[in-house]
Amino acid sequence: MSLANIKDSEVDIVIGVLHSDLTSFMNEWRPIFSRFHLIIVKDPDLKEELRIPEGFNIDVYSKSHIDRVVGSSSSIVFSGYSCRYFGFLVSRKKYIVSIDDDCIPAKDSKGFLIDAVAQHLANLATPATPFFFNTLYDPYREGADFVRGYPFSLRSGVTCALSCGLWLNLADLDAPTQALKPAQRNSRYVDAVMTIPSRAMMPISGINIAFDREAVGPALLPALKLAGEGNLRWETMEDIWSGMCVKVVCDHLGLGVKSGLPYVWRKDRGSAIESLKKEWEGVKLTEEIVPFFQQVRLPQTAATTEDCILEMATTVKQQLGPSDPVFTRAAEAMVEWVKLWKAVGSGSSPL
């Protein structure tokens, strides 16, 4: 397949904001963000006015915008970093890059600033190879290629719909691991991108990702809400659930997912011990969630991402719902999300 030519005008950068003063964050990202349109979504629980430096093309959304669009729905919750999903919902661009507000640009092993947006777009613009693993990783990167024995019939690849970046300094570890190893920091910069094989599940973190909104946008959704959930990344599971949903959709529709570059530098935040009290429910639920997504299969009649999510919601309710009401609520949120996505896309939902 041919390589895509992604224009700056086709990209939205979405930032979920939990802190009011964005001056330092925006200035750190200025060399990279300044040529793109930005969507900033303010956590509905954040009361202070945002402080944003000049020189950016930005639309800011707050609780009043969310209430206007979502209305009386109680299934969809945009609190904490889940506010980013509202940005995914209202965007009108083909591609979205999502970066959390506790991340700044990282430097590579030679000390050069990493353009995370450019690398994400390069990942999306080049094909993915989910049906046969290439031991030189991404064969479309400069200096790489397909290895001996790789079938020529599979070398054209498939459309890459999701690019999952990584983190230097504070890696996206779970609360138990971080509590056990409080001083552990990630300093390993691995210069590699790889396609995740078809039918292989992975924990997708929402901290540093990019995706083709037209291909899989409705699969990036805030559905799984823990009973004692907090706002910090350690205290949530919504992106893990969303990631498994989108991976199942990509496998079913014949799309690809890449992981690796780009890195961002993630700052320390919160207490792992305190977060562990809130995340423990999610740690236990993961043991049920992963086997479910590993075995779920969608019917061939599910031809769009919206179809896939609705089919998955039905299966979630039937197979996982009886074991815990959190899954029933997640299934209901998935159905509500598809309705909301269609309403906003058609212009029938007010902004």
Side-chain angles (χ1 to χ4, degrees):
M1 61 180 294
S2 60
L3 307 187
N5 179 25
I6 301 177
K7 301 175 182 177
D8 292 355
S9 59
E10 295 180 289
V11 180
D12 267 339
I13 296 175
V14 173
I15 305 162
V17 171
L18 270 65
H19 292 77
S20 58
D21 190 353
L22 295 178
T23 305
S24 176
F25 170 82
M26 297 297 289
N27 284 332
E28 291 273 9
W29 283 102
R30 187 181 294 275
I32 298 169
F33 284 178
S34 57
R35 70 180 195 270
F36 296 99
H37 176 250
L38 277 62
I39 293 177
I40 291 180
V41 186
K42 182 180 176 183
D43 175 11
D45 298 326
L46 182 61
K47 306 303 180 186
E48 297 88 352
E49 290 296 318
L50 298 184
R51 295 193 290 277
I52 303 172
E54 296 182 352
F56 296 93
N57 178 16
I58 297 176
D59 284 324
V60 178
Y61 296 92
S62 61
K63 186 177 185 299
S64 61
H65 299 98
I66 294 173
D67 290 343
R68 199 178 310 149
V69 172
V70 179
S72 59
S73 171
S74 58
S75 299
I76 308 294
V77 179
F78 292 105
S79 62
Y81 279 118
S82 290
C83 66
R84 70 157 73 88
Y85 295 94
F86 188 79
F88 302 170
L89 182 69
V90 300
S91 172
R92 290 294 179 269
K93 302 296 180 67
K94 178 173 173 58
Y95 299 99
I96 286 179
V97 178
S98 183
I99 304 286
D100 278 1
D101 69 346
D102 61 350
C103 300
I104 60 174
K107 293 183 179 179
D108 64 19
S109 55
K110 297 180 181 178
F112 294 109
L113 193 72
I114 298 169
D115 187 337
V117 176
Q119 181 62 57
H120 272 308
L121 297 182
N123 292 346
L124 294 173
T126 52
T129 53
F131 304 120
F132 200 84
F133 188 78
N134 189 52
T135 50
L136 277 181
Y137 306 124
D138 189 342
Y140 300 96
R141 291 194 69 206
E142 184 177 353
D145 213 321
F146 292 98
V147 297
R148 183 170 58 89
Y150 200 101
F152 279 86
S153 59
L154 295 176
R155 294 191 182 194
S156 59
V158 301
T159 298
C160 179
L162 177 64
S163 168
C164 305
L166 299 173
W167 334 269
L168 291 173
N169 189 41
L170 190 65
D172 193 18
L173 306 176
D174 54 37
T177 304
Q178 194 64 58
L180 185 64
K181 302 176 180 179
Q184 180 163 309
R185 297 295 180 268
N186 182 38
S187 59
R188 295 180 66 246
Y189 177 88
V190 181
D191 187 10
V193 179
M194 65 182 71
T195 295
I196 306 302
S198 180
R199 305 301 180 190
M201 290 294 105
M202 63 180 289
I204 294 176
S205 165
I207 291 171
N208 169 27
I209 63 171
F211 59 94
D212 183 331
R213 184 181 182 277
E214 293 180 0
V216 295
L220 279 295
L221 72 174
L224 188 72
K225 184 77 173 175
L226 303 178
E229 184 170 297
N231 283 349
L232 302 181
R233 176 52 54 217
W234 283 326
E235 302 166 354
T236 66
M237 285 285 293
E238 113 283 325
D239 57 343
I240 303 299
W241 179 274
S242 173
M244 294 198 191
C245 289
V246 74
K247 184 60 167 65
V248 169
V249 170
C250 285
D251 289 345
H252 177 74
L253 297 179
L255 302 169
V257 176
K258 294 182 183 179
S259 180
L261 300 178
Y263 284 85
V264 295
W265 182 274
R266 189 161 174 249
K267 299 179 180 180
D268 293 19
R269 176 176 289 178
S271 165
I273 298 294
E274 290 302 312
S275 293
L276 178 56
K277 301 174 185 177
K278 300 177 181 179
E279 193 196 37
W280 186 243
E281 178 194 358
V283 172
K284 293 184 292 183
L285 289 176
T286 301
E287 303 305 320
E288 292 184 65
I289 292 170
V290 172
F292 168 79
F293 281 106
Q294 286 175 327
Q295 59 82 31
V296 70
R297 296 293 183 269
L298 303 176
Q300 290 304 310
T301 52
T304 67
T305 297
E306 290 92 334
D307 294 341
C308 292
I309 294 301
L310 293 176
E311 289 285 350
M312 226 180 305
T314 299
T315 310
V316 167
K317 192 169 185 177
Q318 292 172 346
Q319 296 188 17
L320 293 178
S323 68
D324 196 308
V326 71
F327 295 126
T328 300
R329 293 193 293 269
E332 292 169 352
M334 293 165 74
V335 174
E336 187 67 27
W337 177 256
V338 171
K339 293 178 181 177
L340 193 59
W341 191 275
K342 290 181 177 179
V344 172
S346 67
S348 61
S349 182
L351 272 177

